[in-house]
Coordinates of all heavy atoms in Angstrom, one line a residue:
M145 N 1.8 80.7 206.5 CA 1.0 81.5 205.5 C 0.7 82.9 206.1 O 0.1 82.9 207.2 CB -0.3 80.7 205.2 CG -0.9 81.2 203.9 SD 0.1 80.8 202.4 CE -0.9 81.7 201.1
P146 N 1.0 83.9 205.5 CA 0.7 85.3 206.0 C -0.8 85.6 205.9 O -1.5 84.9 205.1 CB 1.5 86.2 205.1 CG 1.7 85.5 203.8 CD 1.7 84.0 204.2
D147 N -1.2 86.6 206.6 CA -2.5 87.0 206.6 C -2.8 87.7 205.2 O -2.2 88.8 205.0 CB -2.8 88.0 207.7 CG -4.2 88.6 207.7 OD1 -5.0 88.2 206.8 OD2 -4.5 89.3 208.6
L148 N -3.6 87.2 204.4 CA -3.8 87.7 203.1 C -4.6 89.0 203.1 O -4.8 89.7 202.0 CB -4.4 86.7 202.2 CG -3.5 85.5 201.9 CD1 -4.2 84.5 200.9 CD2 -2.2 85.9 201.2
D149 N -5.1 89.4 204.2 CA -5.8 90.7 204.3 C -4.9 91.8 204.6 O -5.3 93.0 204.7 CB -6.9 90.7 205.4 CG -8.1 89.7 205.0 OD1 -8.3 89.6 203.8 OD2 -8.7 89.1 205.9
D150 N -3.6 91.5 204.8 CA -2.6 92.5 205.2 C -1.7 92.7 204.0 O -0.9 91.9 203.6 CB -1.8 91.9 206.4 CG -0.7 92.9 206.8 OD1 -0.6 94.0 206.1 OD2 0.0 92.6 207.7
P151 N -1.9 93.9 203.3 CA -1.1 94.2 202.1 C 0.4 94.2 202.4 O 1.2 93.8 201.5 CB -1.6 95.5 201.6 CG -2.3 96.1 202.8 CD -2.8 95.0 203.6
T152 N 0.8 94.6 203.6 CA 2.3 94.7 203.9 C 2.9 93.3 203.9 O 3.9 93.1 203.3 CB 2.5 95.3 205.2 OG1 1.8 96.6 205.3 CG2 4.0 95.6 205.5
A153 N 2.2 92.4 204.5 CA 2.7 91.0 204.5 C 2.7 90.4 203.1 O 3.6 89.7 202.7 CB 1.8 90.2 205.5
T154 N 1.6 90.6 202.4 CA 1.5 90.1 201.1 C 2.6 90.6 200.1 O 3.2 89.9 199.4 CB 0.1 90.4 200.5 OG1 -0.9 89.9 201.4 CG2 -0.1 89.7 199.2
F155 N 2.8 91.9 200.3 CA 3.9 92.5 199.4 C 5.2 91.9 199.7 O 6.0 91.6 198.8 CB 4.0 94.1 199.7 CG 4.9 94.8 198.8 CD1 4.4 95.3 197.6 CD2 6.2 95.0 199.2 CE1 5.3 95.9 196.7 CE2 7.1 95.7 198.3 CZ 6.6 96.2 197.1
K156 N 5.5 91.6 201.0 CA 6.8 91.0 201.3 C 6.9 89.6 200.7 O 8.0 89.2 200.3 CB 6.9 90.9 202.9 CG 7.3 92.2 203.5 CD 7.5 92.0 205.0 CE 7.9 93.3 205.7 NZ 7.7 93.2 207.1
V157 N 5.8 88.9 200.7 CA 5.8 87.5 200.1 C 6.1 87.6 198.6 O 6.9 86.9 198.1 CB 4.4 86.8 200.3 CG1 4.3 85.5 199.5 CG2 4.2 86.5 201.8
F158 N 5.5 88.6 197.9 CA 5.7 88.8 196.5 C 7.1 89.3 196.2 O 7.7 88.9 195.2 CB 4.6 89.7 195.9 CG 3.3 89.0 195.6 CD1 2.5 88.6 196.6 CD2 3.0 88.7 194.3 CE1 1.3 87.9 196.4 CE2 1.8 88.1 194.0 CZ 1.0 87.7 195.0
D159 N 7.6 90.2 197.0 CA 8.9 90.8 196.8 C 10.0 89.9 197.3 O 10.6 90.0 198.3 CB 9.0 92.2 197.5 CG 10.3 92.9 197.3 OD1 11.0 92.5 196.3 OD2 10.6 93.8 198.0
G160 N 10.3 88.9 196.5 CA 11.2 87.8 196.9 C 12.6 88.2 197.3 O 13.1 87.7 198.3
D161 N 13.2 89.2 196.7 CA 14.5 89.7 197.1 C 14.5 90.9 198.0 O 15.5 91.4 198.3 CB 15.4 89.9 195.8 CG 14.9 91.1 195.0 OD1 13.8 91.7 195.4 OD2 15.5 91.4 194.0
A162 N 13.3 91.3 198.4 CA 13.1 92.3 199.4 C 13.8 93.6 199.0 O 14.3 94.3 199.9 CB 13.6 91.8 200.8
D163 N 13.7 94.0 197.7 CA 14.3 95.3 197.3 C 13.3 96.4 197.3 O 13.6 97.5 196.9 CB 15.1 95.2 196.0 CG 14.1 94.9 194.8 OD1 12.9 94.6 195.1 OD2 14.6 94.9 193.7
G164 N 12.0 96.1 197.6 CA 11.0 97.1 197.7 C 10.2 97.2 196.4 O 9.3 98.1 196.3
Y165 N 10.5 96.3 195.4 CA 9.7 96.3 194.2 C 9.4 94.9 193.8 O 10.2 94.0 194.0 CB 10.6 96.9 193.0 CG 10.9 98.4 193.2 CD1 12.1 98.8 193.9 CD2 10.0 99.4 192.8 CE1 12.4 100.1 194.1 CE2 10.3 100.7 193.0 CZ 11.5 101.1 193.6 OH 11.8 102.4 193.8
I166 N 8.2 94.7 193.2 CA 7.8 93.4 192.7 C 8.1 93.4 191.2 O 7.5 94.3 190.5 CB 6.3 93.1 193.0 CG1 6.1 93.1 194.5 CG2 6.0 91.8 192.3 CD1 4.6 93.0 194.8
T167 N 8.9 92.5 190.7 CA 9.1 92.4 189.3 C 8.1 91.4 188.7 O 7.5 90.6 189.5 CB 10.5 91.9 189.0 OG1 10.7 90.6 189.6 CG2 11.6 92.9 189.5
R168 N 8.1 91.3 187.4 CA 7.2 90.3 186.8 C 7.6 88.9 187.2 O 6.8 88.0 187.5 CB 7.3 90.4 185.3 CG 6.7 91.7 184.7 CD 7.0 91.9 183.3 NE 6.3 91.0 182.4 CZ 5.2 91.3 181.7 NH1 4.8 92.5 181.7 NH2 4.7 90.4 180.9
E169 N 8.9 88.6 187.3 CA 9.4 87.3 187.7 C 9.0 87.0 189.1 O 8.6 85.8 189.4 CB 10.9 87.2 187.5 CG 11.5 87.3 186.1 CD 11.4 88.7 185.5 OE1 11.3 89.7 186.2 OE2 11.4 88.8 184.3
E170 N 9.1 87.9 190.0 CA 8.7 87.7 191.4 C 7.2 87.5 191.5 O 6.8 86.6 192.3 CB 9.1 88.9 192.2 CG 10.6 88.9 192.5 CD 11.1 90.2 193.2 OE1 10.3 91.2 193.1 OE2 12.1 90.2 193.8
F171 N 6.5 88.2 190.7 CA 5.0 88.0 190.7 C 4.6 86.6 190.3 O 3.8 86.0 191.0 CB 4.3 89.1 189.8 CG 2.9 89.2 190.0 CD1 2.3 90.1 190.9 CD2 2.0 88.4 189.2 CE1 0.9 90.1 191.1 CE2 0.6 88.5 189.4 CZ 0.1 89.3 190.3
V172 N 5.2 86.2 189.2 CA 4.9 84.8 188.7 C 5.3 83.8 189.7 O 4.5 82.8 190.0 CB 5.6 84.6 187.3 CG1 5.5 83.1 186.9 CG2 5.0 85.5 186.3
R173 N 6.5 84.0 190.3 CA 7.0 83.0 191.3 C 6.0 82.9 192.5 O 5.7 81.8 192.9 CB 8.4 83.4 191.7 CG 9.2 82.2 192.2 CD 10.6 82.7 192.5 NE 11.3 83.4 191.4 CZ 12.0 84.6 191.6 NH1 12.2 85.1 192.8 NH2 12.6 85.1 190.5
A174 N 5.6 84.0 193.0 CA 4.7 84.1 194.1 C 3.4 83.4 193.8 O 2.8 82.7 194.6 CB 4.5 85.5 194.6
M175 N 2.8 83.7 192.6 CA 1.6 83.1 192.3 C 1.7 81.6 192.1 O 0.9 80.8 192.5 CB 1.0 83.7 191.0 CG 0.6 85.2 191.1 SD -0.6 85.5 192.4 CE -2.1 84.9 191.5
N176 N 2.8 81.2 191.4 CA 3.0 79.7 191.2 C 3.2 79.0 192.5 O 2.7 77.9 192.7 CB 4.3 79.5 190.4 CG 4.0 79.9 188.9 OD1 2.9 80.1 188.5 ND2 5.1 80.0 188.1
S177 N 3.8 79.6 193.5 CA 4.0 79.0 194.8 C 2.7 78.9 195.5 O 2.5 78.1 196.5 CB 5.0 79.7 195.7 OG 4.4 80.9 196.2
R178 N 1.7 79.6 195.1 CA 0.3 79.4 195.7 C -0.5 78.5 194.8 O -1.7 78.3 195.0 CB -0.4 80.8 195.7 CG 0.1 81.7 196.7 CD -0.8 83.0 196.6 NE -0.3 84.0 197.5 CZ -0.9 85.1 197.7 NH1 -2.0 85.4 197.1 NH2 -0.4 86.0 198.5
G179 N 0.1 77.9 193.8 CA -0.6 77.0 192.9 C -1.5 77.7 191.9 O -2.4 77.2 191.3
E180 N -1.2 79.1 191.6 CA -2.0 79.8 190.7 C -1.1 80.0 189.4 O 0.0 80.3 189.5 CB -2.3 81.2 191.2 CG -2.9 81.2 192.6 CD -4.5 81.3 192.5 OE1 -4.9 81.3 191.3 OE2 -5.1 81.4 193.5
E181 N -1.8 79.8 188.3 CA -1.2 80.0 187.0 C -1.4 81.5 186.6 O -2.5 82.0 186.8 CB -1.8 79.1 185.9 CG -1.5 77.6 186.2 CD -0.1 77.2 185.7 OE1 0.5 77.9 184.9 OE2 0.4 76.2 186.2
V182 N -0.4 82.1 186.0 CA -0.6 83.5 185.5 C -0.1 83.5 184.1 O 1.0 83.1 183.8 CB 0.3 84.5 186.3 CG1 -0.1 85.9 185.9 CG2 0.1 84.4 187.8
T183 N -1.0 83.9 183.2 CA -0.6 84.0 181.8 C 0.1 85.3 181.5 O 0.0 86.3 182.3 CB -1.9 83.9 180.9 OG1 -2.7 85.1 181.1 CG2 -2.7 82.7 181.1
A184 N 0.8 85.4 180.4 CA 1.5 86.6 180.0 C 0.6 87.7 179.9 O 0.9 88.9 180.2 CB 2.3 86.3 178.8
A185 N -0.6 87.5 179.3 CA -1.6 88.5 179.1 C -2.1 89.1 180.5 O -2.3 90.3 180.6 CB -2.8 88.0 178.3
E186 N -2.3 88.2 181.4 CA -2.8 88.6 182.8 C -1.7 89.5 183.4 O -1.9 90.5 184.0 CB -3.1 87.4 183.7 CG -4.4 86.7 183.3 CD -4.6 85.4 184.0 OE1 -3.6 84.8 184.5 OE2 -5.7 85.0 184.1
L187 N -0.5 89.0 183.3 CA 0.7 89.7 183.8 C 0.8 91.1 183.2 O 1.0 92.1 183.9 CB 1.9 88.9 183.5 CG 3.1 89.1 184.4 CD1 2.7 88.8 185.9 CD2 4.2 88.1 184.0
D188 N 0.6 91.2 181.9 CA 0.6 92.5 181.2 C -0.4 93.5 181.8 O -0.1 94.6 182.0 CB 0.4 92.3 179.7 CG 1.7 91.8 179.0 OD1 2.7 91.9 179.6 OD2 1.5 91.4 177.8
S189 N -1.6 92.9 181.9 CA -2.7 93.9 182.4 C -2.5 94.3 183.8 O -2.7 95.4 184.2 CB -4.1 93.2 182.1 OG -4.3 92.2 183.0
I190 N -2.1 93.3 184.7 CA -1.8 93.7 186.1 C -0.7 94.7 186.2 O -0.8 95.7 186.9 CB -1.4 92.4 186.9 CG1 -2.6 91.5 187.0 CG2 -0.8 92.8 188.2 CD1 -2.2 90.1 187.4
F191 N 0.4 94.5 185.4 CA 1.5 95.5 185.5 C 1.1 96.8 184.8 O 1.6 97.8 185.3 CB 2.8 94.8 185.0 CG 3.5 94.1 186.0 CD1 3.0 92.9 186.5 CD2 4.7 94.6 186.5 CE1 3.7 92.2 187.5 CE2 5.4 94.0 187.6 CZ 4.9 92.8 188.0
K192 N 0.4 96.7 183.8 CA 0.0 98.0 183.1 C -0.8 98.9 184.0 O -0.6 100.0 184.2 CB -0.8 97.7 181.8 CG -1.1 98.9 181.0 CD -1.7 98.4 179.6 CE -2.2 99.6 178.8 NZ -1.6 100.9 179.1
V193 N -1.8 98.2 184.7 CA -2.7 99.0 185.6 C -1.9 99.5 186.8 O -2.1 100.7 187.2 CB -3.9 98.1 186.1 CG1 -4.6 98.8 187.2 CG2 -4.8 97.9 184.9
S194 N -1.1 98.7 187.4 CA -0.5 99.0 188.7 C 0.7 99.9 188.5 O 1.0 100.9 189.2 CB 0.0 97.8 189.4 OG -1.0 96.9 189.5
D195 N 1.5 99.6 187.5 CA 2.8 100.3 187.4 C 2.7 101.7 187.0 O 3.7 102.5 187.3 CB 3.6 99.5 186.3 CG 5.1 100.0 186.1 OD1 5.6 100.6 187.1 OD2 5.6 99.9 185.1
E196 N 1.6 102.2 186.5 CA 1.5 103.6 186.0 C 1.2 104.5 187.2 O 1.2 105.7 187.0 CB 0.5 103.7 184.9 CG 0.9 103.0 183.6 CD -0.1 102.9 182.6 OE1 -1.3 103.2 182.9 OE2 0.2 102.6 181.4
H197 N 0.8 104.0 188.3 CA 0.2 104.9 189.3 C 1.2 105.8 190.0 O 0.9 106.9 190.4 CB -0.4 104.1 190.4 CG -1.8 103.6 190.0 ND1 -2.9 104.5 190.0 CD2 -2.3 102.5 189.7 CE1 -3.9 103.9 189.6 NE2 -3.6 102.7 189.4
D198 N 2.5 105.5 190.0 CA 3.5 106.5 190.6 C 4.2 107.2 189.4 O 5.1 108.0 189.7 CB 4.4 105.8 191.6 CG 5.4 104.8 190.9 OD1 5.3 104.7 189.7 OD2 6.2 104.3 191.6
G199 N 3.7 106.9 188.2 CA 4.3 107.7 187.1 C 5.6 107.3 186.6 O 6.1 107.9 185.6
D200 N 6.2 106.3 187.2 CA 7.6 105.9 186.7 C 7.5 104.9 185.6 O 8.4 104.9 184.7 CB 8.5 105.5 187.9 CG 7.9 104.2 188.6 OD1 6.9 103.7 188.2 OD2 8.6 103.8 189.5
V201 N 6.5 104.1 185.6 CA 6.3 103.0 184.6 C 7.7 102.3 184.3 O 8.2 102.3 183.2 CB 5.8 103.6 183.2 CG1 5.3 102.5 182.3 CG2 4.6 104.5 183.5
D202 N 8.2 101.8 185.4 CA 9.5 101.2 185.4 C 9.5 99.7 185.2 O 10.5 99.0 185.3 CB 10.4 101.6 186.6 CG 9.7 101.2 187.9 OD1 8.6 100.6 187.9 OD2 10.3 101.4 189.0
G203 N 8.3 99.1 185.1 CA 8.1 97.7 184.9 C 8.2 97.0 186.2 O 8.2 95.7 186.2
R204 N 8.2 97.7 187.3 CA 8.1 97.1 188.6 C 7.0 97.7 189.4 O 6.6 98.8 189.2 CB 9.4 97.3 189.4 CG 10.7 96.9 188.6 CD 11.9 97.2 189.4 NE 12.1 98.6 189.7 CZ 13.1 99.1 190.4 NH1 14.0 98.3 190.9 NH2 13.2 100.4 190.6
I205 N 6.5 97.0 190.4 CA 5.4 97.5 191.3 C 6.0 97.9 192.6 O 6.5 97.0 193.4 CB 4.3 96.5 191.4 CG1 3.6 96.2 190.1 CG2 3.3 97.0 192.4 CD1 2.6 95.2 190.1
S206 N 6.0 99.2 193.0 CA 6.4 99.6 194.3 C 5.3 99.3 195.3 O 4.1 99.0 194.9 CB 6.7 101.1 194.3 OG 5.5 101.8 194.0
F207 N 5.6 99.5 196.6 CA 4.5 99.2 197.6 C 3.4 100.2 197.4 O 2.2 99.8 197.5 CB 5.1 99.4 199.0 CG 4.1 99.0 200.1 CD1 3.6 97.8 200.1 CD2 3.8 99.9 201.0 CE1 2.6 97.4 201.1 CE2 2.9 99.6 202.0 CZ 2.3 98.3 202.1
A208 N 3.6 101.5 197.1 CA 2.6 102.4 196.8 C 1.7 102.0 195.7 O 0.4 102.1 195.8 CB 3.2 103.8 196.6
E209 N 2.3 101.5 194.6 CA 1.5 101.0 193.5 C 0.7 99.7 193.9 O -0.4 99.6 193.4 CB 2.4 100.7 192.3 CG 3.0 101.9 191.7 CD 4.1 101.7 190.7 OE1 4.8 100.6 190.8 OE2 4.4 102.5 189.9
F210 N 1.3 98.9 194.7 CA 0.7 97.7 195.1 C -0.6 98.0 195.9 O -1.6 97.4 195.8 CB 1.7 96.9 196.0 CG 1.2 95.5 196.4 CD1 1.1 94.5 195.6 CD2 0.8 95.4 197.7 CE1 0.7 93.2 196.0 CE2 0.3 94.1 198.2 CZ 0.3 93.1 197.3
L211 N -0.5 99.0 196.8 CA -1.6 99.5 197.6 C -2.8 100.0 196.7 O -3.9 99.7 197.0 CB -1.2 100.6 198.6 CG -0.5 100.1 199.9 CD1 -0.2 101.4 200.7 CD2 -1.3 99.1 200.6
V212 N -2.4 100.7 195.7 CA -3.5 101.2 194.8 C -4.2 100.0 194.2 O -5.5 100.0 194.1 CB -2.9 102.1 193.7 CG1 -3.9 102.4 192.6 CG2 -2.3 103.4 194.3
A213 N -3.5 99.0 193.7 CA -4.1 97.9 193.1 C -4.9 97.1 194.1 O -6.0 96.6 193.8 CB -3.0 97.0 192.5
W214 N -4.3 97.0 195.3 CA -5.0 96.3 196.4 C -6.3 96.9 196.8 O -7.3 96.1 197.0 CB -4.0 96.3 197.6 CG -4.5 95.5 198.8 CD1 -5.4 95.9 199.8 CD2 -4.2 94.1 199.1 NE1 -5.6 94.8 200.6 CE2 -4.9 93.7 200.2 CE3 -3.3 93.2 198.4 CZ2 -4.7 92.5 200.8 CZ3 -3.2 91.9 199.0 CH2 -3.9 91.6 200.1
N215 N -6.4 98.2 196.8 CA -7.6 98.9 197.3 C -8.7 99.0 196.2 O -9.7 99.6 196.5 CB -7.2 100.2 197.9 CG -6.4 100.1 199.2 OD1 -6.7 99.2 200.0 ND2 -5.4 100.9 199.4
K216 N -8.4 98.5 195.1 CA -9.3 98.7 194.0 C -10.6 97.9 194.2 O -10.5 96.8 194.7 CB -8.6 98.3 192.6 CG -9.3 99.0 191.4 CD -8.3 98.9 190.3 CE -7.3 100.0 190.4 NZ -6.2 99.8 189.4
Ligands
CA1722 CA1 12.0 92.5 194.3
CA1723 CA1 6.4 101.4 188.9

């Protein structure tokens, strides 16, 4: 289990294919593997808040966007 206080380690866990972006599918998979349920509405709000920070709104969360959400 990675140190959950370390955003770099946590990002790597969520970014299942290690392409530098977390997709909705990867996010759900990572949460499920921790035994956490994520509803579609929760996913929408998480991605809406995080994804807009670098202005691309590409439906994926980059590490920079992840850090913004993390530090909130
Ligand atoms: Ca990925
Ligand atoms: Ca984005």
Side-chain angles (χ1 to χ4, degrees):
M145 199 66 185
D147 179 0
L148 292 180
D149 293 329
D150 178 358
T152 307
T154 307
F155 187 85
K156 280 183 185 163
V157 171
F158 277 71
D159 183 15
D161 64 0
D163 67 350
Y165 296 93
I166 300 170
T167 62
R168 294 168 70 100
E169 291 74 22
E170 286 171 338
F171 191 90
V172 170
R173 207 177 305 138
M175 292 303 281
N176 287 348
S177 75
R178 291 184 183 183
E180 305 265 3
E181 296 279 339
V182 187
T183 66
E186 285 170 338
L187 207 54
D188 281 345
S189 72
I190 290 164
F191 271 72
K192 185 168 170 30
V193 169
S194 308
D195 184 23
E196 291 172 349
H197 278 288
D198 68 1
D200 60 1
V201 194
D202 59 358
R204 305 180 298 179
I205 296 177
S206 66
F207 185 59
E209 290 169 335
F210 185 77
L211 279 182
V212 171
W214 186 272
N215 290 321
K216 204 161 280 174

